[in-house]
Amino acid sequence: MAELNERLNSQQAELVALRSSAGTGQSAVSMERAAQRQLAARLAELEAENAALKEDMLIFERLIPVMGQESAVRIESLRVKPDTGGRYRYRLLFAYQPARRGVVFQGKYDVVAIFKDAVGVERRQPVSGGVEIRHFLRREGWFELPEGAVLLSVDASLLQNGKVVASQRMEF
């Protein structure tokens, strides 16, 4: 009986040791999985940042002035992404190549969301703002559509003295 008790005690001690090492192994596996998730998220962030930097580099290359060229202003980029609910975020990048140094473009921009409401009627929702562009300027903002609305397109216009000087459209 004493021998069986001794064997039972040693096996219980071994069981406790094995459970402890199994718990440590499971902790290590879960920590490794968490680290992999963090690395994957960071990789996605870096890929998005890299794509944005490549886009910016192309824009800067286009900004290099050509000798004898007149002043030119344009909308380089229009991006619209859904946010939460019926909210959308927009991002505009304006570029200005003045013919003379020190000249600043002054005007305003309009962003117009064109959508169908819940009953199918086409509607427009504008967002406006003033701009003063030396070489390039980024503007970001948001607009919100009514519940059940479907976004069709977004028009961006750059105006000076009430006259459209540049425009861009994004279809959905």
Side-chain angles (χ1 to χ4, degrees):
M1 190 69 150
E3 186 182 318
L4 286 175
N5 277 338
E6 186 180 313
R7 235 169 118 193
L8 178 63
N9 288 338
S10 75
Q11 286 181 346
Q12 284 179 340
E14 185 180 350
L15 178 62
V16 167
L18 288 173
R19 283 183 178 161
S20 172
S21 67
T24 304
Q26 287 176 347
S27 294
V29 167
S30 61
M31 286 188 331
E32 186 175 322
R33 285 184 182 151
Q36 285 178 345
R37 283 192 298 272
Q38 288 176 342
L39 286 173
R42 182 68 179 140
L43 178 64
E45 287 175 20
L46 290 173
E47 286 174 343
E49 184 179 338
N50 187 30
L53 288 172
K54 283 181 180 179
E55 180 183 328
D56 288 348
M57 192 165 142
L58 289 172
I59 291 165
F60 287 125
E61 287 174 355
R62 286 194 298 257
L63 286 175
I64 298 171
V66 176
M67 294 298 288
Q69 187 179 24
E70 291 185 26
S71 293
V73 64
R74 62 190 175 275
I75 299 171
E76 279 294 329
S77 173
L78 167 63
R79 300 248 189 249
V80 179
K81 293 184 180 178
D83 206 6
T84 56
R87 192 171 177 165
Y88 289 83
R89 297 200 66 71
Y90 68 84
R91 185 171 98 179
L92 288 163
L93 181 63
F94 304 108
Y96 178 54
Q97 290 178 291
R100 295 186 336 260
R101 269 187 136 187
V103 177
V104 176
F105 176 88
Q106 292 183 332
K108 75 173 220 165
Y109 72 92
D110 288 332
V111 174
V112 179
I114 302 166
F115 63 95
K116 283 194 177 182
D117 63 14
V119 293
V121 176
E122 190 171 297
R123 304 214 181 257
R124 296 173 177 269
Q125 182 171 339
V127 177
S128 297
V131 291
E132 190 172 284
I133 308 170
R134 297 194 190 302
H135 291 289
F136 62 95
L137 178 70
R138 188 180 309 265
R139 282 286 187 249
E140 297 182 9
W142 60 272
F143 57 87
E144 193 165 348
L145 300 181
E147 190 174 323
V150 176
L151 185 61
L152 301 174
S153 64
V154 175
D155 292 335
S157 302
L158 188 58
L159 299 99
Q160 188 175 39
N161 300 324
K163 186 176 177 183
V164 175
V165 293
S167 63
Q168 197 170 97
R169 173 175 266 209
M170 185 173 178
E171 301 281 340
F172 288 88

